[in-house]
Amino acid sequence: MAETEKDREPPREYRIAELAEAAGLSVRTVRFYRERRLLPPPRKAGRIAWYGPEHLARLRLIAELLERGHALGGIAELIGAGEDGRDVAELIGLQAALVAPWSDEAPVHLTWDELYAAFGDELTEANTAESLAQGFITVDSEGITHISRRLMDASVALVDEGVPLAAVLEVSRRASEYADAMADTFVALIRDRLLGALTHVQDLTPAEAARLTERIHRIRPLARTVNDAQFALAMDRRVRAEYDRLDGR
C-alpha cells in the first residue's frame, strides 16, 4: 500500500497545558504524575518540554486504573511491569478477576412509611440498630437503603409468616458467620492452590497471568455451586434428624 501524505506526518506533540487539556486533567495533576515517575520524560527542545501520543495514552491508562480502584502505588508497579516488557493489560485482567465482586445483589430503598407497612411493630429501634450493626442498611431522613433486595424481601416474607424480626436478624448474624467461614475456605483454596508463593501479581509473565485469570473465572461459579449444594445437603440431614427426634417424642 502506498504511503500517504498523512502517514508521513510526524506524531502530534503537546506542551504540558495542551497535554493536560487533551487528557481532561489539570496541569498540576500532570506535573504530579511526572514527579511520581508515572510519565516518561518529555522531549526537551531548549527550555520547552514536548509530550507525545505515548504520554497521552499513559495519562488515559492511569485514569482508567484509578477508576477501577487502583492506588497510585499499585499503578506505578503495573506501569513498571509494562516497561519491563510485560503486558499491563494481562496483569490488570488478573487483578480485576481476583477482586471482582462475587455477589450480584441489588440494593433497595424503602421509605419509613413503606418500612412500617412491611414490619409494623417489629420495626423497633433495637432491630434497626442490629440491621445497621450487621451492615445490611444505611439510614437517612427518608428511610433506609438495604444492600440486598433479595434479603430484604426474604425478611419481610418471614415476618409475614409470624417470625419475629429479631429472630430473623439473629439467624442472619449466625448465617453470616458461617458464610464467612465458607468464604475463608475458598479464599484459602485459591491462595494456596492457585496463587501459591506469588506475592505480587507483577511477578507473573503475561501468559501466566492470562492462564491464571481464566482459571479464576472458571472456579468462581464452581465455588458457588459447591456452597449451594453443601447447604442443601446439610438441610436434608438436619431436617431429617429433627423429624426423627420429634417422631421419637
Side-chain angles (χ1 to χ4, degrees):
M1 182 181 294
E3 185 180 40
T4 66
E5 190 68 28
K6 185 175 181 181
D7 293 331
R8 291 193 293 268
E9 291 178 0
R12 168 74 187 275
E13 288 194 312
Y14 310 84
R15 294 194 182 198
I16 189 169
E18 296 170 330
L19 178 68
E21 182 179 2
L25 301 170
S26 68
V27 171
R28 178 179 297 181
T29 299
V30 174
R31 285 184 175 139
F32 174 72
Y33 290 161
R34 178 70 189 93
E35 292 167 1
R36 293 288 298 268
R37 300 187 178 182
L38 294 170
L39 283 178
R43 182 179 71 82
K44 289 292 186 70
R47 299 181 62 182
I48 300 177
W50 291 101
Y51 297 84
E54 70 278 8
H55 295 94
L56 181 58
R58 176 66 58 83
L59 290 174
R60 287 171 175 166
L61 173 62
I62 293 170
E64 180 183 350
L65 293 175
L66 287 172
E67 187 176 347
R68 293 189 184 193
H70 292 267
L72 281 178
I75 292 174
E77 290 186 10
L78 285 170
I79 288 174
E83 290 175 345
D84 288 340
R86 283 169 281 168
D87 189 337
V88 176
E90 297 292 358
L91 301 177
I92 294 171
L94 175 56
Q95 288 194 337
L98 289 171
V99 302
W102 283 66
S103 69
D104 52 4
E105 301 300 324
V108 57
H109 182 80
L110 282 83
T111 67
W112 290 113
D113 288 341
E114 290 171 329
L115 284 167
Y116 280 118
F119 293 110
D121 294 340
E122 295 292 318
L123 189 64
T124 64
E125 184 175 338
N127 286 337
T128 302
E130 179 62 22
S131 297
L132 277 167
Q134 293 192 38
F136 287 133
I137 66 170
T138 56
V139 177
D140 56 44
S141 59
E142 297 181 354
I144 65 98
T145 298
H146 198 290
I147 62 172
S148 169
R149 175 180 290 277
R150 290 198 303 168
L151 287 177
M152 184 70 188
D153 290 346
S155 298
V156 172
L158 286 169
V159 170
D160 286 343
E161 293 294 334
V163 180
L165 182 55
V168 173
L169 291 170
E170 173 59 24
V171 169
S172 175
R173 177 180 289 278
R174 295 172 62 188
S176 180
E177 293 172 357
Y178 301 142
D180 283 344
M182 180 68 78
D184 287 342
T185 300
F186 280 100
V187 168
L189 175 69
I190 293 172
R191 181 191 64 227
D192 299 337
R193 300 300 179 181
L194 293 185
L195 301 182
L198 179 66
T199 57
H200 296 286
V201 173
Q202 290 74 22
D203 293 338
L204 294 169
T205 66
E208 290 170 336
R211 284 194 296 270
L212 189 51
T213 300
E214 292 175 358
R215 294 183 71 188
I216 293 293
H217 283 305
R218 290 196 298 269
I219 284 176
R220 287 168 65 97
L222 295 177
R224 297 184 68 163
T225 297
V226 170
N227 186 46
D228 291 344
Q230 291 280 27
F231 175 74
L233 291 170
M235 286 295 293
D236 288 343
R237 293 192 298 269
R238 293 296 184 270
V239 168
R240 185 66 196 184
E242 185 66 14
Y243 176 82
D244 290 343
R245 186 182 67 84
L246 292 174
D247 188 47
R249 291 171 53 185

